[in-house]
Amino acid sequence: MSQLLASYVVQAAAALFTAVLFGFFSRTYRKPFLLHWARGFSALCIMLFGAGLTISLAPIAPPTTITRVTVSTVTLIAAYYHVAWLIFGSAEVFSADYADWLYRRRGWIFAAATVVAIASMAYAFSDPDPFGPRFTARNAIRSAIIGAAYIAATISVVISRKPGRHVGRVFVGTSFGLYGATQLHFFWVGMVSRSTISQTNYPLYTGILDFVLVFTMGLGVVIWLLEEEHSRAQSTTQEIASLAYHDPLTGLPNRKLLLDHLTRAIYQARRDKCDLAVYFIDVDRFKVINDSLGHPAGDKVLRAVAARVTAALREADTMARMGGDEFVVFTPDIHGVEDAVHVAQKVRDAIRDPIQIEGRELFVSASMGVAMYPADGQTAEALVKNADTAMYRAKAQGNDLMQLYTPEMNAHAAEQLALESALRRAVEAFEFELHYQPIVQTSDNRICAMESMLRWRHPVLGLVRPEQFIRLAESTGLIVPIGEWALRTGCLQMAEWRASGYADLRLAVNISGRQLRQPDFVDTVRVALAETGLPPSALDLEITEMSATQSEPVIVERLRALHAMGVRISIDDFGTGFSSVSILRDFPVDALKIDTSFVRDLILDPNDADVAAAVVALAKAMALTVVAEGVENPAQLEFLRAQGCELWQGYLCCPPVQASEVRAVLGRRSGGALKRLPTPSEISTVRH
Ligand code: C2E
Ligand code: CA
Ligand code: CA
């Protein structure tokens, strides 16, 4: 008996230790299961202490005394509450939802535990035999229930384990399992061979085993928590590292990681004496895609480009996103420029496949610049910079092109910088002039309007065409004062021509998107008309389809105001933008100008002929005038005439000419029509 007493006391101490440990950790780690188990082990401690007390009271007080009854009741209630808390904690480990469901029914569960405790207490409580039916009801069944609860707890610990190290869980799971097994064994012994308990050292051994197991549970939970902490810290570190070195949208390496990898690849290439190519890729017209189709579509395009290019590359190649619509690829271990060009073509083909966005097909292209190691740079930074420079050159020549780096390109960049300061000077020194190109009626070859074309008379470079400086003027904002000057000068000039006998001649002026964004744009136009005396109906504003696509509602409002005044609006370069039809719906448009690129190959390329025909048909359906630009030969003119295109413009009539030559051009008319069209040889001599 004294053995049994000692074993209960020791076990109670272990349970107390574990309860305190769990309680302490539940505060620090805020894990609900620890709090439940802390309560559970407190209850276990009370149960074991009560069992010990019963044993010491047994020789001096019969089971029916009030002290024995009280002690036994408390012991049994503690035993079943212990089970309840153990289950709450295990449910919490298994699933928070399930635990919540159970915990909301805790009133019923504790009531049931109390009823079972009191019932087993009451059963045969006056029987004098300590190993009689009372033993079965109080001890054996209790052990069976506790054993089952521990087995369930073991299962929840095993099932809920996550990837990573789980030595702690193994400790806890194993000790729960073994503890459950000892309880079930005790149930079996209690039912079948009660003599084992009284006649052998069974209570001593099981007591020591239980003590060890309860202690192990505490230890296991400590290890478990430390492991969780460790793996959380590890995954946070990984996440931070991935954020710092990867682009979240595409998952590609970012600039930092790229430069790092590239530097290592350069060392390798230097050792192996082989070539390496760096490709700078920039998605064409990405801003238009973003502005007209929305940012989610833009994101989709970027992800598609990233995925396709990556798929087209070899394992050893690296692709990174530099930001915006810019990507860099490098391919180590290649042989010569031919290989690089081959890869570039593969990349281009991968990007070119149409991308499905909201049910429609989007054709995306990219411009690419290529720099080679060792020829074009020795460091990662230099190679990327030179590939970037080459990409800029590709872009300047048109979309969807590839350009290999050449050392002169850096000279070009320096040139651009010089050009910028020269342009600023030019605004102050009034170095600009306007040339004029006739717009001709298809029906009778009458010149009905003149389009003003900006020229920069540079003191050293001579006459500079807009393509060499308009983009720069737009990006620096200089286009605003320049454009204002062009508008006034054009209006003044046209008023003069109209006064001198060409009363119905009209003026077309190119307007940059940047000008439209000026809040006082409407006033600028109004003032220019008022001061020069040109009626609004004699003015035509040409807005490129590209800047029309990018217009916010406030700009459309401005155009409406001008339109209401009688000013006409044309969409320039039509066919090069994206959301053509929606522009036509929202914009106050009078005319569409079919872009030169479609007119150029009209006769050679059936696709271009189809586009031109479709634009004419579309415009007719919407009661808009169609102007064909860049008409260079009679065949083109014939085709356009047959389609029903009303107006045309191009070298076939004449190139843009100086203001002083305009009268001569207009004078070529007899009875308003052109006397004769120039011959092809004349056309080639007038090209700048
Ligand atoms: P745009 O408005 O599309 O003007 C037509 C361009 O095509 C002009 O080039 C013209 O010289 C050229 N062109 C005319 N006929 C033919 C032809 O038969 N064949 C070919 N191949 N080309 C022809 P330019 O003068 O160099 O102007 C280029 C662009 O610069 C213009 O394109 C326009 O967008 C812009 N621009 C010109 N003047 C101004 C201006 O005052 N303000 C603004 N914002 N932009 C201007
Ligand atoms: Ca134009
Ligand atoms: Ca145009």
Coordinates of all heavy atoms in Angstrom, one line a residue, residues 90-95 98 150-163 166 169-170 172-174 176 224:
S90 N -6.6 18.7 -27.4 CA -6.3 17.9 -28.6 C -7.1 18.4 -29.8 O -6.5 18.4 -30.9 CB -6.6 16.4 -28.3 OG -6.0 16.1 -27.1
A91 N -8.3 18.8 -29.5 CA -9.2 19.3 -30.6 C -8.5 20.5 -31.2 O -8.5 20.8 -32.4 CB -10.6 19.5 -30.1
E92 N -8.0 21.4 -30.3 CA -7.4 22.6 -30.7 C -6.1 22.3 -31.6 O -5.9 23.0 -32.6 CB -6.9 23.4 -29.4 CG -6.7 24.8 -29.6 CD -8.0 25.6 -29.8 OE1 -8.9 25.6 -28.9 OE2 -8.1 26.2 -30.9
V93 N -5.4 21.3 -31.2 CA -4.2 20.9 -32.0 C -4.7 20.4 -33.4 O -4.1 20.7 -34.4 CB -3.4 19.8 -31.3 CG1 -2.4 19.2 -32.2 CG2 -2.8 20.3 -30.0
F94 N -5.8 19.7 -33.4 CA -6.3 19.1 -34.6 C -6.9 20.1 -35.6 O -6.5 20.3 -36.7 CB -7.3 18.0 -34.2 CG -7.9 17.3 -35.4 CD1 -7.1 16.5 -36.2 CD2 -9.3 17.4 -35.7 CE1 -7.6 15.9 -37.3 CE2 -9.8 16.7 -36.7 CZ -9.0 16.0 -37.6
S95 N -7.8 20.9 -35.1 CA -8.5 21.9 -35.9 C -9.1 23.0 -35.0 O -9.9 22.6 -34.1 CB -9.5 21.3 -36.9 OG -10.7 22.0 -36.9
Y98 N -13.0 22.8 -35.1 CA -13.6 21.7 -34.4 C -13.5 22.0 -32.9 O -14.5 21.8 -32.1 CB -12.8 20.5 -34.7 CG -13.3 19.2 -34.1 CD1 -14.7 18.9 -34.2 CD2 -12.5 18.4 -33.4 CE1 -15.1 17.7 -33.6 CE2 -12.9 17.2 -32.8 CZ -14.3 16.9 -32.9 OH -14.8 15.8 -32.4
Y150 N -6.4 9.6 -24.2 CA -5.0 9.8 -24.6 C -4.7 9.3 -25.9 O -3.9 9.8 -26.7 CB -4.1 9.2 -23.5 CG -3.8 10.2 -22.4 CD1 -4.6 10.3 -21.3 CD2 -2.7 11.1 -22.6 CE1 -4.3 11.3 -20.3 CE2 -2.5 12.1 -21.6 CZ -3.3 12.2 -20.5 OH -3.0 13.1 -19.5
I151 N -5.4 8.1 -26.3 CA -5.1 7.6 -27.6 C -5.6 8.6 -28.7 O -5.0 8.9 -29.7 CB -5.8 6.2 -27.8 CG1 -5.3 5.2 -26.8 CG2 -5.7 5.7 -29.2 CD1 -3.8 4.8 -27.0
A152 N -6.8 9.2 -28.4 CA -7.4 10.2 -29.3 C -6.4 11.4 -29.4 O -6.2 11.9 -30.5 CB -8.7 10.7 -28.8
A153 N -5.9 11.8 -28.2 CA -4.9 12.9 -28.2 C -3.7 12.6 -29.1 O -3.2 13.4 -29.9 CB -4.5 13.2 -26.8
T154 N -3.2 11.3 -29.0 CA -2.1 10.9 -29.8 C -2.4 11.0 -31.3 O -1.6 11.6 -32.0 CB -1.8 9.4 -29.5 OG1 -1.7 9.2 -28.1 CG2 -0.5 8.9 -30.2
I155 N -3.6 10.6 -31.6 CA -4.0 10.6 -33.0 C -4.0 12.1 -33.5 O -3.4 12.4 -34.6 CB -5.3 10.0 -33.3 CG1 -5.2 8.5 -33.0 CG2 -5.8 10.2 -34.7 CD1 -6.5 7.7 -32.9
S156 N -4.5 13.0 -32.7 CA -4.6 14.4 -33.2 C -3.2 15.0 -33.3 O -3.0 15.8 -34.2 CB -5.5 15.2 -32.2 OG -4.8 15.6 -31.1
V157 N -2.3 14.6 -32.4 CA -0.9 15.2 -32.5 C -0.3 14.6 -33.8 O 0.4 15.4 -34.5 CB -0.1 14.8 -31.2 CG1 1.4 15.1 -31.4 CG2 -0.7 15.5 -30.0
V158 N -0.5 13.4 -34.1 CA 0.2 12.8 -35.2 C -0.4 13.3 -36.5 O 0.3 13.8 -37.4 CB 0.0 11.2 -35.2 CG1 0.5 10.6 -36.5 CG2 0.8 10.6 -34.0
I159 N -1.7 13.4 -36.6 CA -2.4 13.9 -37.8 C -2.1 15.3 -38.2 O -1.9 15.7 -39.3 CB -3.9 13.7 -37.7 CG1 -4.3 12.2 -37.8 CG2 -4.6 14.4 -38.9 CD1 -5.8 12.0 -37.7
S160 N -2.0 16.1 -37.1 CA -1.9 17.6 -37.4 C -0.4 18.0 -37.6 O -0.2 19.2 -37.7 CB -2.4 18.3 -36.2 OG -1.6 18.1 -35.1
R161 N 0.5 17.1 -37.7 CA 1.9 17.5 -37.8 C 2.1 18.2 -39.2 O 1.5 17.8 -40.2 CB 2.9 16.4 -37.6 CG 2.9 15.4 -38.8 CD 3.9 14.3 -38.5 NE 4.1 13.5 -39.7 CZ 3.2 12.6 -40.1 NH1 2.0 12.4 -39.4 NH2 3.4 11.9 -41.2
K162 N 3.0 19.2 -39.2 CA 3.3 19.9 -40.4 C 4.7 19.5 -40.9 O 5.4 18.9 -40.2 CB 3.3 21.4 -40.1 CG 1.9 21.9 -39.7 CD 1.9 23.4 -39.5 CE 0.6 23.8 -38.8 NZ 0.8 23.8 -37.3
P163 N 4.9 19.9 -42.2 CA 6.3 19.6 -42.7 C 7.4 20.3 -41.8 O 7.1 21.3 -41.3 CB 6.3 20.1 -44.1 CG 5.0 20.7 -44.4 CD 4.1 20.5 -43.2
H166 N 9.8 17.6 -36.3 CA 8.8 17.5 -35.3 C 9.2 16.4 -34.2 O 8.4 15.6 -33.9 CB 7.5 17.1 -35.9 CG 7.5 16.1 -37.0 ND1 7.3 16.5 -38.3 CD2 7.8 14.8 -37.0 CE1 7.4 15.4 -39.1 NE2 7.8 14.4 -38.3
R169 N 6.8 16.8 -31.3 CA 5.6 16.1 -31.4 C 5.7 14.6 -31.2 O 4.8 13.9 -30.7 CB 5.0 16.4 -32.8 CG 4.3 17.7 -32.9 CD 3.9 18.0 -34.3 NE 3.3 19.3 -34.5 CZ 2.0 19.5 -34.5 NH1 1.2 18.5 -34.5 NH2 1.6 20.8 -34.6
V170 N 6.9 14.1 -31.7 CA 7.1 12.6 -31.5 C 7.1 12.3 -30.0 O 6.5 11.3 -29.6 CB 8.4 12.2 -32.2 CG1 8.8 10.8 -31.8 CG2 8.3 12.3 -33.7
V172 N 5.7 14.0 -27.6 CA 4.4 14.2 -27.0 C 3.5 13.1 -27.4 O 2.8 12.4 -26.6 CB 3.8 15.6 -27.4 CG1 2.4 15.7 -26.9 CG2 4.6 16.7 -26.8
G173 N 3.5 12.8 -28.7 CA 2.6 11.8 -29.3 C 2.9 10.4 -28.6 O 2.0 9.7 -28.2
T174 N 4.2 10.1 -28.6 CA 4.6 8.8 -28.0 C 4.2 8.7 -26.5 O 3.7 7.6 -26.1 CB 6.1 8.6 -28.2 OG1 6.5 8.9 -29.5 CG2 6.5 7.1 -27.9
F176 N 1.9 10.4 -24.9 CA 0.5 10.3 -24.9 C 0.0 8.8 -25.1 O -0.8 8.3 -24.4 CB -0.2 11.2 -25.9 CG -0.4 12.6 -25.4 CD1 0.1 13.1 -24.2 CD2 -1.2 13.5 -26.2 CE1 -0.1 14.4 -23.8 CE2 -1.4 14.8 -25.8 CZ -0.8 15.2 -24.6
W224 N 8.6 20.9 -29.0 CA 7.6 21.2 -30.0 C 7.6 22.7 -30.3 O 7.7 23.2 -31.4 CB 6.3 20.7 -29.5 CG 5.1 20.9 -30.4 CD1 4.9 21.8 -31.4 CD2 3.8 20.3 -30.2 NE1 3.6 21.8 -31.8 CE2 2.9 20.8 -31.2 CE3 3.3 19.3 -29.4 CZ2 1.6 20.4 -31.3 CZ3 2.0 18.9 -29.5 CH2 1.2 19.4 -30.5

